Amino acid sequence: MNLISKEVMHVGEMASGAALTVPVYRIKGKQQGPDVYIQANMHGAEVQGNAVIFQLLEQLKTLELNGSITLVPYANPVACNHKNGEYTLGRFDPITGVNWNRMFHFDADIIAPFAQAHLTATSAEIERAFKALMLEQITAKLNHNIYGLTTGQRIAFQLQRLAHQADIVLDLHTGPISSKHLYCPEYAIASAKYFDIPHTLLIPNDFGGALDEATFCPWWQLQQTFAALGRDFPITKTEANQGQDVIIKESFTVELGSQEQIDLEVAREDALGILSYLQYQGVINSQDYQPKTMTRYSCMLADYKALYSPMGGMVDYLAQFGQPLAAGEPLARILRMDNYGDGDPLHYITLDHSVIPILHFASASVNQGTELYKVFSKFSIL
């Protein structure tokens, strides 16, 4: 049996003085290997990730590990407690209006000077020094900002400090009404097939404030800067470097389906899929966790399109998630009872090209301009 340690991390204070805390679970392997960081529930309504962390802990009790795994459920206690009743709160900071998952930090100006200073260092020396630099930066953001931090920044930076200590970062989320899908950096596309997730969004090397970007963009930009200087610095497994001692630096946002609900049986399946990926990366010593055989589709982030309602009304969502929908086939129909008897009460929403519907708005009642669907507008088999 593995020892699972628990600590409570203080991330802020409420107006009453009550502490805002986050549970942190750690499991240390007996052998060296990649260190893993997994968090869930950054957004208040996105709760399935907590159930997945529970199922991961249940599995990890008896597995032989290399490296370490840190698991953080209820990562954002403010958002968790702002989610009340049937109102889908907890996605945005109620004070600033900023998405809770857009407050993480990355300063691209550190890359070029670091690369120049470490051009002849070994990969292991580069890894240690760059990790130390990022930890130093985020600690300085936390402790030495004379003008203070917002509630969201204080939470995000403390989570990021944990994530920067890892080689692999998994941020567990859900959509409104959604299929499972994976946000994957383009350079790590080979890893996507080890998750039991049929739809993969490929992300470019641009930082937009999310945790996955805050943890993969620094390493990816460092790799590209080294390449421009004539230095090879691999950060993922490829066919060319199989069997070599490669530094692994990968981060993913794992979308586990729909928000507002948990399903412990589905969570167990999700946990097994994550363990399949961790087995591929050498974190666990077991051949029992293998990816399922399925058709996996990929789409560039730029081709992940939102479809907005052309009118107000009541929406009947027709398109099946995750399957290609042919051009001209209806995604939805909008009921307009105000037109009944003197107009057309039903309006069908179609597109002139094939798409894969991934998620749709949570309510049937929409205004003109409400986001109805998000779809893969261009896609290929992974």
Side-chain angles (χ1 to χ4, degrees), residues 36 43 133 191 194:
V36 180
H43 294 133
L133 176 59
S191 295
Y194 290 92

Side-chain angles (χ1 to χ4, degrees), residues 37 39 167-173 182-193 195 197 200-203 211-213 215-216 236 248-255 277 280-281:
Y37 174 80
Q39 73 173 35
D167 305 300
I168 294 167
V169 174
L170 304 180
D171 191 11
L172 308 184
H173 285 258
L182 182 73
Y183 285 85
C184 170
E186 289 179 49
Y187 72 83
I189 186 172
S191 295
K193 64 183 179 182
F195 292 89
I197 295 179
T200 297
L201 278 162
L202 298 174
I203 314 175
L211 177 65
D212 58 350
E213 298 161 345
T215 47
F216 74 65
T236 190
I248 302 298
K249 301 294 177 184
E250 295 186 353
S251 302
F252 305 88
T253 294
V254 185
E255 299 280 352
Y277 166 72
Y280 163 69
Q281 293 294 10

Side-chain angles (χ1 to χ4, degrees), residues 3-9 22-28 36-40 50 53-54 56-58 60-61 65 68-75 162:
L3 175 64
I4 300 175
S5 66
K6 177 184 177 181
E7 67 180 76
V8 176
M9 184 170 68
V22 172
V24 179
Y25 297 90
R26 287 189 172 93
I27 309 170
K28 181 70 174 176
V36 180
Y37 174 80
I38 303 173
Q39 73 173 35
N50 298 317
I53 286 179
F54 166 77
L56 281 170
L57 286 167
E58 290 291 288
L60 291 168
K61 285 178 182 178
L65 302 183
S68 67
I69 302 180
T70 300
L71 304 104
V72 181
Y74 309 124
L162 294 177

Side-chain angles (χ1 to χ4, degrees), residues 75-91:
N76 184 351
V78 179
C80 291
N81 289 300
H82 278 188
K83 174 68 194 81
N84 289 301
E86 296 180 358
Y87 296 96
T88 307
L89 303 176
R91 184 171 182 81

Side-chain angles (χ1 to χ4, degrees), residues 41-326:
N41 213 175
M42 192 64 192
H43 294 133
E46 300 182 15
V47 293
Q48 176 71 357
N50 298 317
V52 173
I53 286 179
F54 166 77
Q55 295 288 22
L56 281 170
L57 286 167
E58 290 291 288
Q59 294 287 320
L60 291 168
K61 285 178 182 178
T62 56
L63 290 176
E64 184 179 344
L65 302 183
N66 303 314
S68 67
I69 302 180
T70 300
L71 304 104
V72 181
Y74 309 124
N76 184 351
V78 179
C80 291
N81 289 300
H82 278 188
K83 174 68 194 81
N84 289 301
E86 296 180 358
Y87 296 96
T88 307
L89 303 176
R91 184 171 182 81
F92 303 95
D93 184 332
I95 305 301
T96 65
V98 177
N99 185 324
W100 290 113
N101 193 33
R102 297 296 183 272
M103 301 188 199
F104 296 93
H105 172 73
F106 169 48
D107 178 8
D109 290 339
I110 68 172
I111 301 296
F114 180 92
Q116 287 285 355
H118 294 81
L119 191 56
T120 60
T122 67
S123 292
E125 290 168 341
I126 291 168
E127 181 189 26
R128 285 194 298 270
F130 194 58
K131 183 183 289 187
L133 176 59
M134 290 194 293
L135 286 168
E136 179 185 322
Q137 273 212 326
I138 205 68
T139 300
K141 293 285 290 183
L142 270 168
N143 299 332
H144 304 295
N145 190 320
I146 62 171
Y147 292 106
L149 299 169
T150 69
T151 300
Q153 288 173 327
R154 186 170 298 280
I155 294 169
F157 295 166
Q158 290 182 83
L159 296 171
Q160 189 172 344
R161 185 163 56 182
L162 294 177
H164 275 327
Q165 297 173 55
D167 305 300
I168 294 167
V169 174
L170 304 180
D171 191 11
L172 308 184
H173 285 258
T174 59
I177 307 296
S178 177
S179 62
K180 295 178 185 179
H181 53 291
L182 182 73
Y183 285 85
C184 170
E186 289 179 49
Y187 72 83
I189 186 172
S191 295
K193 64 183 179 182
Y194 290 92
F195 292 89
D196 290 336
I197 295 179
H199 307 103
T200 297
L201 278 162
L202 298 174
I203 314 175
N205 196 0
D206 298 318
F207 178 64
L211 177 65
D212 58 350
E213 298 161 345
T215 47
F216 74 65
C217 280
W219 293 101
W220 194 358
Q221 291 192 21
L222 180 63
Q223 179 194 51
Q224 291 180 324
T225 302
F226 273 134
L229 296 170
R231 165 68 192 266
D232 187 32
F233 182 64
I235 56 172
T236 190
K237 290 182 180 180
T238 65
E239 290 185 4
N241 63 29
Q242 288 292 329
Q244 300 179 29
D245 187 15
V246 177
I247 291 170
I248 302 298
K249 301 294 177 184
E250 295 186 353
S251 302
F252 305 88
T253 294
V254 185
E255 299 280 352
L256 297 165
S258 303
Q259 63 191 20
E260 304 276 17
Q261 59 190 2
I262 68 166
D263 185 319
L264 284 167
E265 292 306 312
V266 172
R268 186 177 183 278
E269 293 300 310
D270 293 332
L272 295 181
I274 289 172
L275 291 171
S276 166
Y277 166 72
L278 295 182
Q279 183 275 325
Y280 163 69
Q281 293 294 10
V283 178
I284 58 175
N285 291 330
S286 173
Q287 296 302 312
D288 293 338
Y289 302 94
Q290 299 293 331
K292 293 179 179 178
T293 300
M294 64 175 68
T295 301
R296 292 175 170 84
Y297 295 96
S298 66
C299 174
M300 302 301 295
L301 186 62
D303 296 319
Y304 187 43
K305 301 295 187 182
L307 173 67
Y308 299 97
S309 182
M311 64 186 70
M314 305 293 124
V315 182
D316 184 7
Y317 298 98
L318 300 175
Q320 182 180 355
F321 281 148
Q323 298 299 319
L325 184 74

